[in-house]
């Protein structure tokens, strides 16, 4: 089993693989835009400027809107050490306080874009208590698809101060439209991938023949291990140490041809992992959440053939036999799909089709354009 040494300098560190394009498509929208996000990595901007990290979706949106600001609120509960309850106690009171302050200060011709429910729901609840709300509110929904959340929305959506919702996939949108009963208020915009950063390597390193799987949320790595156990290829799994600590049985079940990476990697190192892979595998659990969507879109953008197990939350750009491979979530089906990809002479054409699909429908520029348009339309609908 070969191993990747990440102590050496990444090939991206010396020179950005794809210079960031100049983009001056500013929208002269009438009104103020407030974008709510979680805490930013203070070093991310420096890395982006050097071409060593992908650009941020919401920063692209802010750049397009003349008169915008980004506010950093408390992180999602899942991102706080100590469990979900401790995370909620740490984040929710502070976000409610920030919501009260923001709701009091907003005037007409303002629109708030909450990039997740962590910030959107506190603001929607606080603003609903006000008699009159002259500003607009749009929420990008990531997790409002479980039966529990659907029951909550069915009971409360008429009292929530949300004018429009954005979903990552058509399946998610169909669930929200059914619950809300307002199909015109639900839009679909794929998460954006920076196709200038995640792009085929111009000077690829010598071929390292391995399959790559990245991510931890809603992943079925035991299934992947069973599927690749007898395949004549190495496999690299990049998962968080927290996931592996909670899934030690999966760690012990890894076959000899699987290398597991749990340490934090820079985006340059992650780029190198993608660049050296033969194909990208996403063994996701069946869920309406967009689990694995970041890995899938990045792999497609890197012009790698992507193989995913069937899930309701897969991105709309991943179409079986056209832009990638989707198989049943069994070890036998996944092993067969991987074996066929390894032996197929058409794998490069499938990977190229995936790259074209992402550039067309899920690039960070397309994401920013579509979200900006929804924000402007929503604001216009509230202006007398």
């Amino acid at each position: 089993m070969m191993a990747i040494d990440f102590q050496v300098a990444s090939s991206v560190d010396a020179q950005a693989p794809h210079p960031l394009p100049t983009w001056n498509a500013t929208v002269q929208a009438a009104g103020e835009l407030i974008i709510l996000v979680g805490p930013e990595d203070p070093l991310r901007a420096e890395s982006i400027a050097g071409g060593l990290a992908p650009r941020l979706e919401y920063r692209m949106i802010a750049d397009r809107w003349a008169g915008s600001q980004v506010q950093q609120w408390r992180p999602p509960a899942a991102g706080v050490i100590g469990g979900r309850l401790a995370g909620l106690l740490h984040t929710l009171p502070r976000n409610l306080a920030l919501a009260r302050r923001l709701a009091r200060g907003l005037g007409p011709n303002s629109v708030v874009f909450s990039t997740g429910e962590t910030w959107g729901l506190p603001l929607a609840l606080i603003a609903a208590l006000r008699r009159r709300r002259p500003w607009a509110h749009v929420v990008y929904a990531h997790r409002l698809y479980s039966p529990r959340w659907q029951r909550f929305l069915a009971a409360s959506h008429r009292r929530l101060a949300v004018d429009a919702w954005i979903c990552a996939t058509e399946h998610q949108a169909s669930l929200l439209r059914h619950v809300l009963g307002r199909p015109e208020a639900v839009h679909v915009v794929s998460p954006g991938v920076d196709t200038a950063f995640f792009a085929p390597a111009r000077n690829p390193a010598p071929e390292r023949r391995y399959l790559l799987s990245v991510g931890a949320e809603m992943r079925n790595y035991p299934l992947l291990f069973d599927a690749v156990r007898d395949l004549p290829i190495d496999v690299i799994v990049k998962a968080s140490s927290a996931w592996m600590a909670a899934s030690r049985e999966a760690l012990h079940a890894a076959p000899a041809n699987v290398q597991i990476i749990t340490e934090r990697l820079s985006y340059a190192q992650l780029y190198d992992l993608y660049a050296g892979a033969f194909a990208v595998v996403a063994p996701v659990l069946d869920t309406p959440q967009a689990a694995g969507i970041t890995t899938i879109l990045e792999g497609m953008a890197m012009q790698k053939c992507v193989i995913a197990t069937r899930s309701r939350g897969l991105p709309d750009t991943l179409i079986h036999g056209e832009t990638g491979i989707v198989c049943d979530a069994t070890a036998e089906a996944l092993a067969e799909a991987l074996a066929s990809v390894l032996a197929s002479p058409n794998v490069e054409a499938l990977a190229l089709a995936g790259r074209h699909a992402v550039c067309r429908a899920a690039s960070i520029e397309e994401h920013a354009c579509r979200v900006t348009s929804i924000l402007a339309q929503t604001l216009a609908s509230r202006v007398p």
Side-chain angles (χ1 to χ4, degrees), residues 45-263:
E46 182 179 344
S47 297
I48 292 172
L52 302 178
R55 291 164 292 169
L56 295 164
E57 297 166 317
Y58 58 85
R59 288 292 178 186
M60 297 284 286
I61 296 168
D63 288 345
R64 283 184 57 80
W65 191 290
S68 65
Q69 62 171 286
V70 174
Q71 292 189 10
Q72 300 177 50
W73 286 19
R74 292 285 180 168
V80 177
I81 297 175
R84 181 165 293 277
L85 179 59
L88 284 173
L89 294 175
H90 178 77
T91 64
L92 185 56
R94 179 57 176 161
N95 283 339
L96 285 171
L98 291 170
R100 280 192 291 270
R101 184 186 307 169
L102 179 61
R104 286 197 301 265
L106 286 170
N109 298 327
S110 297
V111 57
V112 179
F113 176 43
S114 296
T115 58
E117 299 94 320
T118 298
W119 312 286
L121 289 181
L123 181 60
L125 291 168
I126 292 296
L129 300 176
R130 301 176 66 87
R131 290 186 176 181
R132 184 173 177 274
R133 176 174 59 92
W135 45 273
H137 186 202
V138 178
V139 177
Y140 200 118
H142 297 277
R143 298 180 179 274
L144 299 182
Y145 310 108
S146 69
R148 181 190 64 180
W149 277 116
Q150 289 185 49
R151 288 192 296 270
F152 167 78
L153 285 178
S156 63
H157 70 87
R158 289 183 177 84
R159 293 185 291 273
L160 292 176
V162 179
D163 301 290
W165 303 82
I166 301 177
C167 305
T169 68
E170 287 289 350
H171 178 75
Q172 294 176 345
S174 67
L175 294 177
L176 263 188
R177 287 166 182 153
H178 176 73
V179 172
L180 300 176
R182 297 169 54 211
E184 75 285 352
V186 181
H187 309 269
V188 179
V189 180
S190 171
V193 61
D194 190 346
T195 54
F197 182 85
F198 290 108
R202 292 178 176 176
N203 300 303
E207 182 178 359
R208 299 171 291 179
R209 190 176 173 85
Y210 60 85
L211 300 173
L212 174 66
S213 192
V214 178
E217 185 180 26
M218 303 294 287
R219 300 300 199 274
N220 192 345
Y221 283 127
L223 173 68
L224 176 64
F225 296 160
D226 287 343
V228 304
R229 194 176 304 276
D230 298 321
L231 290 181
I233 190 170
D234 291 322
V235 180
I236 296 178
V237 171
K238 170 62 187 87
S240 69
S241 57
W243 186 91
M244 285 300 175
S247 309
R248 295 192 181 280
E249 62 206 50
L251 183 61
H252 293 314
N257 62 331
V258 173
Q259 176 188 354
I260 298 175
I261 300 172
T262 58
E263 62 264 33

Side-chain angles (χ1 to χ4, degrees), residues 295-373:
T295 297
I296 290 170
L297 294 178
E298 288 174 354
M300 294 171 72
M302 290 288 298
Q303 203 167 308
K304 302 295 178 178
C305 180
V306 172
I307 306 97
T309 54
R310 202 173 308 281
S311 171
R312 291 160 291 168
L314 292 179
D316 299 321
T317 49
L318 182 62
I319 303 173
H320 177 68
E322 297 183 19
T323 59
I325 299 295
V326 180
C327 67
D328 290 337
T330 66
E332 295 77 14
L334 182 55
E336 182 179 351
L338 294 173
S340 67
V341 167
L342 292 174
S344 173
N346 297 322
V347 64
E348 291 185 3
L350 200 60
L352 181 59
R355 164 78 181 173
H356 287 167
V358 168
C359 289
R360 180 177 62 255
S363 70
I364 197 170
E365 289 86 0
E366 178 67 13
H367 175 93
C369 287
R370 295 188 64 185
V371 171
T372 302
S373 177

